[in-house]
Every structure is written in structure tokens, then in C-alpha cells.
Amino acid sequence: MAYDENNIFARILRGELPCKKVYEDDYALAFHDINPLMPVHVLVIPKGPYTNLEEFNAGASLQEMGGFMKAVAECAKLAGVDASGYRLVANNGADAHQEVPHFHVHIFGGRPILGRMIKTEN
Ligand code: DGP
């Protein structure tokens, strides 16, 4: 799939749309989700133009990939959930209902998550 240069996260990266920034470095930008589902709900996005994990895996250097994971860990620390725990989610592709076509990881935390892994229908 061709990367959509005008997706919302691309526009946030270019500074065309505002965000509540949590963290930024050479590899990643992190900001609060506009529609938080938990007390802590942070989105971490790589800076490169990758629609999903497949494109990230195919196109990003190991430095970019490693830098991105380091940023996720740093954001959990900055959000104050590194000790209490948190859940990482990456909705990847149509079956996972990925809405924004720029690869991203959700950090959910700030209270105990009800239940364990969600068992979906069938
Ligand atoms: P998903 O692609 O399904 O993993 O979810 C995308 C998430 O992005 C969703 O939780 C809402 C969030 N989101 C959508 N538009 C914006 C926006 O303009 N600003 C921020 N901060 N979050 C957004």
C-alpha cells in the first residue's frame, strides 16, 4: 500500500496539526491520544513514512527500529507507568481495525487493566 502523505499522523509530524507531545527524538514522536481509553493513553509513531509494521520492517534501518522501541520504553517511563505496568497495542491492518495508516503503538496504563488478554468473539 502506498503511504498516504496526508494521513493525520503525517500531518502531526509535519507540524500542520497540533498534538499534546510526550516525547520526541530522531526516530519517534509520542503524543496523547485524542480519545483516551485509559488514564494513560499515549501514541508512539516512527518518524519515517511507514503505513504498517510490514513497511516498517521492510524499509527502516535497524537503528530506526531500535530507536523506535527505545522511544516506546522512554515514553512509558515519562508517562509514569514503567513500574506499575502497561499494555502495548499496535492495530496493524484491516482485520485489526487500524484507523490511521501510519504505523503506531498505543501505550495503555494508569490503572489495572480489567481482565487479561481480550477474548474476542469466535
Ligand atoms: P488505530 O489506528 O485504530 O490504532 O487508532 C488510531 C488512534 O489515533 C485512535 O485511538 C485515535 C487517535 N487519533 C486519531 N486522530 C488523532 C489526532 O488528530 N490526534 C491525536 N492525538 N490522536 C488521534
Side-chain angles (χ1 to χ4, degrees):
M1 186 202 295
Y3 179 75
D4 171 10
E5 295 284 350
N6 284 319
N7 78 74
I8 289 168
F9 294 171
R11 297 187 65 199
I12 288 175
L13 272 173
R14 290 197 296 268
E16 295 168 7
L17 292 174
C19 71
K20 288 190 191 168
K21 193 190 290 186
V22 171
Y23 178 79
E24 181 170 17
D25 65 18
D26 288 348
Y27 307 106
L29 175 68
F31 46 88
H32 294 285
D33 195 288
I34 203 166
N35 181 27
L37 302 177
M38 290 276 290
V40 169
H41 187 170
V42 172
L43 299 169
V44 191
I45 71 175
K47 286 206 162 167
Y50 309 115
T51 304
N52 51 34
L53 184 58
E54 286 60 49
E55 289 186 9
F56 191 44
N57 182 46
S61 66
L62 291 178
Q63 197 169 353
E64 273 178 276
M65 294 188 87
F68 177 73
M69 277 315 291
K70 280 193 160 292
V72 173
E74 183 63 22
C75 290
K77 197 171 173 182
L78 288 171
V81 295
D82 54 325
S84 53
Y86 51 92
R87 181 170 286 168
L88 300 180
V89 171
N91 295 318
N92 201 68
D95 279 2
H97 306 287
Q98 180 180 358
E99 286 172 15
V100 179
H102 183 111
F103 178 58
H104 55 280
V105 168
H106 298 250
I107 301 176
F108 292 112
R111 65 162 167 74
I113 292 170
L114 302 175
R116 294 175 183 269
M117 288 294 286
I118 301 164
K119 186 173 183 193
T120 53
E121 64 279 12
N122 69 57

